Amino acid sequence: EYEGDRNSEGQRHGFGKALLPNGDTYEGQYEHGLRNGPGTYRFKNGALYTGNYLQNKKHGKGVFFYPDGSKYAGDWVHDQRQGYGEYLYANGDTYTGEWANNKRHGQGTYVYKDTGSRYVGCWVNGIQDGPAELIHLNYRFKGRFLNGKPLGRGKFIFDIGCEQHGEYIQPVQEKDDEEEEESPLPLEPIWKASEITKLTPWYPHHEELPDSTEAEEAAGAVAEEEKNS
């Protein structure tokens, strides 16, 4: 069913309302029979999209309300979340940043509602991957992530005014001859601390850990400050 403007060839063209055979409805602009320009599409399952269309596909700025209560507001390209946008998840978490092919990809910030912690950094195909900062209530971690886990050199920065340098090491999975064929879950990376220093600048690509004498002096200075405070 369609109610609205048509062009001389009888195609939907201009503003119109349509009830689709699957029960979905659309109200908005058409060009030459296709959804084109601003419009609102209501899905039978309760989802709703309001935003821009290009040749029947979500394209440009738009907001999508999902049936589970989650919501995405941002850029679309050919029906995919792509560009910059904010996603509010059903559990209250939020992601604000870059997208590609419907996935978090590029630079972005993810906020965990339960803890208030924030991941600020790189994403690859929806997974935390690359230089990043994980910010907690009174300390934060700066380092690199791989496949959603911290790995390699980094440092913890504490609000009391000191840092703990070190690295996350991936433990080697020990094989048991009697193990079943199912592959076990990968082991969590383990943090190995090397030294404590005063606050220092940090660059993800060129970090040089201070040598041991500097570290000892800095650790001594921190201890002295704590003793005097």
Side-chain angles (χ1 to χ4, degrees):
E1 294 176 28
Y2 175 73
E3 180 189 322
D5 302 332
R6 294 182 184 270
N7 60 14
S8 57
E9 291 151 20
Q11 296 172 315
R12 300 174 185 185
H13 194 87
F15 182 83
K17 300 178 182 179
L19 171 62
L20 285 75
N22 62 1
D24 297 349
T25 61
Y26 172 75
E27 183 174 328
Q29 293 294 320
Y30 283 90
E31 267 186 36
H32 302 293
L34 300 175
R35 294 187 292 278
N36 218 86
T40 298
Y41 192 107
R42 298 174 189 275
F43 295 80
K44 192 179 175 183
N45 66 2
L48 169 73
Y49 171 78
T50 181
N52 215 59
Y53 276 91
L54 180 67
Q55 296 184 331
N56 268 2
K57 293 183 184 290
K58 296 183 284 290
H59 193 94
K61 300 282 183 193
V63 183
F64 200 111
F65 298 87
Y66 296 88
D68 65 359
S70 57
K71 173 182 126 180
Y72 172 79
D75 297 328
W76 297 82
V77 175
H78 297 308
D79 266 346
Q80 307 272 306
R81 294 187 294 271
Q82 183 140 330
Y84 187 89
E86 179 174 339
Y87 201 116
L88 168 64
Y89 294 88
N91 66 357
D93 292 357
T94 58
Y95 171 80
T96 307
E98 296 174 305
W99 295 79
N101 300 319
N102 268 345
K103 293 181 178 176
R104 301 182 291 265
H105 190 88
Q107 287 289 323
T109 299
Y110 192 102
V111 180
Y112 298 88
K113 181 177 183 287
D114 285 351
T115 61
S117 296
R118 284 178 295 149
Y119 173 95
V120 182
C122 286
W123 298 77
V124 176
N125 291 325
I127 296 169
Q128 298 167 346
D129 202 307
E133 195 170 356
L134 193 55
I135 303 164
H136 301 289
L137 186 61
N138 48 18
Y139 71 96
R140 54 204 159 105
F141 170 75
K142 277 190 174 185
R144 297 184 72 88
F145 282 69
L146 181 67
N147 293 325
K149 304 285 184 189
L151 199 64
R153 289 161 76 171
K155 66 182 183 180
F156 284 92
I157 304 160
F158 298 93
D159 288 359
I160 56 172
C162 66
E163 300 178 351
Q164 186 185 71
H165 296 255
E167 64 180 317
Y168 272 101
I169 296 165
Q170 181 65 56
V172 179
Q173 189 89 46
E174 291 184 10
K175 291 200 171 179
D176 186 342
D177 293 339
E178 296 176 10
E179 259 183 19
E180 295 177 15
E181 301 246 331
E182 291 180 26
S183 57
L185 291 170
L187 297 171
E188 291 289 314
I190 295 171
W191 173 252
K192 296 217 167 179
S194 55
E195 55 247 331
I196 292 175
T197 70
K198 287 188 171 183
L199 300 181
T200 58
W202 182 86
Y203 307 97
H205 300 293
H206 310 289
E207 188 200 7
E208 289 298 328
L209 291 177
D211 64 35
S212 56
T213 53
E214 284 179 6
E216 284 166 15
E217 286 170 11
V222 170
E224 191 66 30
E225 280 179 14
E226 288 179 352
K227 193 168 70 176
N228 295 335
S229 61

